[in-house]
Amino acid sequence: MSVGSAQMNVCVVGYGMMGVWHSEALAEEERYFLVGRRPEATAEFAARYGYRRWSVDLEEALADPAVDAVIVASPSELHAAMALRCLAHGKPALVEIPIAMSYAASERVVAEAEGRGLTLGVVHPMRFRKERAPLRERLANGDEHIRHIHGRFFIHRLKNVGATGYQRSWIDNLLWHHTTHLLDLGLWMLAVEGAPTRSVSHFMPAPDPATGIPMEVVLLVETEADQSLLCSGSYYSRERLYDTMIVTDRDSYRLNILEGTLTTGAGTMPIDSEQDNCTLCTRDFVAALEQGREPAVSGRSVLPTMRLLQDVQDRWDAVHGRRPLPGRPLDE
């Protein structure tokens, strides 16, 4: 059934935590095709969520004319290649963050979608937080001004185990995954007031000998309006922290994602869970296809974030040597 009709047939690639969240966000009749890595696990997940078809071969799903759209929730280093394959088959795609693990690959995915006239969305859930909408409106009206933004992501990840406790087949990347969330939020908020970037500085150490990846990131962006954006994180931390703080000339807004709270000068209030907020991303993509509009987070809209990440990566490469890293091959 074609896009825009009464029923949307969606293919989901991946059965990890994000595969679970996207599957639960889709209506039962929208869960059409599941693509996974291992046959037994894929079959079990497909049965649990009521997918009508499943395969361990993405090409099999893309060759099915009944598939209207694809949600790519595979390991990060596969996002760009899988998105390009979906688009080449004429399938609109919603790609989990990050859209790619280089700026060049990000541009290729966006160009492919735009060249084919296909919808391309990216899962940047921090943009969907409804608690930020009133602040963005005040910023746009000139009633409030950002002074500082700080995003933090700290977890203990010396072993390759994901948030669900599942032993992963892939390696995460602090810069191109978790920092991407924080940096994109900051740039998206600062863009409302439009001050150009004045400088970017960073710290990212050499790869840890046990994990093979850089385990810490500190990234500082300054604007011509003397605003600052600081993103920091570590995979060494024994304490889990995942929060964002926006300080303006009127108030401060600390959103604690793990605790599900927003704290301002007026006190602390509960907010939607991370999964509930992610549901908005999934539903917006489906609605965008049905309504013939751009999704709330288009592929092109994330390119400024990807460009800055590439600048940081290039600086790291100049110091430590350009090399493939676990979870980030050079030939993306």
Side-chain angles (χ1 to χ4, degrees):
M1 190 167 292
S2 63
V3 175
S5 61
Q7 178 178 311
M8 184 83 63
N9 289 334
V10 179
C11 169
V12 172
V13 183
Y15 49 68
M17 185 177 76
M18 299 317 302
V20 170
W21 287 9
H22 288 299
S23 296
E24 292 183 351
L26 291 170
E28 184 175 352
E29 63 271 14
E30 294 168 342
R31 301 175 200 145
Y32 176 71
F33 211 125
L34 177 74
V35 176
R37 183 174 65 91
R38 295 183 294 117
E40 299 82 1
T42 307
E44 186 279 328
F45 190 99
R48 189 194 329 161
Y49 286 99
Y51 284 92
R52 283 168 276 171
R53 297 194 61 192
W54 67 268
S55 177
V56 294
D57 183 2
L58 177 58
E59 288 297 321
E60 182 180 346
L62 297 178
D64 187 337
V67 171
D68 293 318
V70 184
I71 297 176
V72 178
S74 57
S76 297
E77 70 266 26
L78 301 179
H79 288 180
M82 286 188 165
L84 288 169
R85 289 165 68 185
C86 294
L87 296 167
H89 281 78
K91 309 294 187 184
L94 175 65
V95 186
E96 260 299 328
I97 192 171
I99 186 175
M101 300 192 78
S102 72
Y103 180 62
S106 302
E107 284 192 307
R108 286 197 296 271
V109 176
V110 172
E112 182 75 11
E114 293 180 347
R116 293 179 177 274
L118 294 171
T119 299
L120 173 65
V122 191
V123 181
H124 283 226
M126 288 193 175
R127 293 198 196 184
F128 282 83
R129 280 282 171 192
K130 61 186 179 183
E131 299 84 9
R132 294 193 176 102
L135 174 58
R136 281 179 57 85
E137 183 176 355
R138 292 193 296 273
L139 295 173
N141 293 336
D143 299 327
E144 196 165 354
H145 301 282
I146 291 175
R147 301 306 331 141
H148 175 70
I149 301 176
H150 187 181
R152 304 186 298 175
F153 185 85
F154 289 77
I155 60 172
H156 190 69
R157 183 165 284 171
L158 296 181
K159 295 183 179 179
N160 194 27
V161 177
T164 61
Y166 180 76
Q167 181 69 39
R168 283 173 160 170
S169 62
W170 58 287
I171 307 295
D172 217 334
N173 186 291
L174 183 55
L175 177 67
W176 290 93
H177 179 194
H178 297 111
T179 303
T180 307
H181 281 283
L182 305 175
L183 178 63
D184 183 77
L185 169 68
L187 295 179
W188 180 65
M189 294 298 296
L190 289 169
V192 179
E193 297 191 273
T197 297
R198 179 166 60 205
S199 67
V200 178
S201 55
H202 83 285
F203 166 77
M204 192 162 63
D208 179 273
T211 65
I213 60 174
M215 299 282 282
E216 295 172 308
V217 172
V218 179
L219 198 161
L220 175 63
V221 179
E222 301 175 49
T223 77
E224 294 289 353
D226 284 335
Q227 301 159 306
S228 57
L229 164 59
L230 177 63
C231 304
S232 61
S234 174
Y235 283 167
Y236 288 126
S237 177
R238 289 289 180 174
E239 180 183 5
R240 295 182 67 216
L241 297 172
Y242 191 17
D243 61 6
T244 62
M245 167 79 90
I246 300 176
V247 180
T248 74
D249 57 356
R250 285 182 46 181
D251 207 341
S252 60
Y253 309 84
R254 179 172 179 259
L255 197 150
N256 188 320
I257 296 172
L258 297 179
E259 295 183 1
T261 58
L262 172 65
T263 300
T264 68
T268 298
M269 67 177 66
I271 59 173
D272 288 344
S273 71
E274 192 175 4
Q275 180 176 356
D276 288 340
N277 187 65
C278 183
T279 294
L280 301 179
C281 307
T282 315
R283 298 312 310 168
D284 172 78
F285 175 68
V286 172
L289 293 174
E290 293 173 340
Q291 298 164 14
R293 60 168 174 84
E294 280 284 280
V297 182
S298 67
R300 179 157 294 279
S301 76
V302 307
L303 288 182
T305 296
M306 308 312 291
R307 184 185 295 112
L308 198 154
L309 290 171
Q310 186 66 58
D311 179 58
V312 172
Q313 185 68 58
D314 290 345
R315 295 187 200 184
W316 187 90
D317 290 349
V319 174
H320 299 283
R322 187 170 184 268
R323 65 180 91 172
L325 296 169
R328 188 179 183 271
L330 291 179
D331 58 349
E332 183 188 35

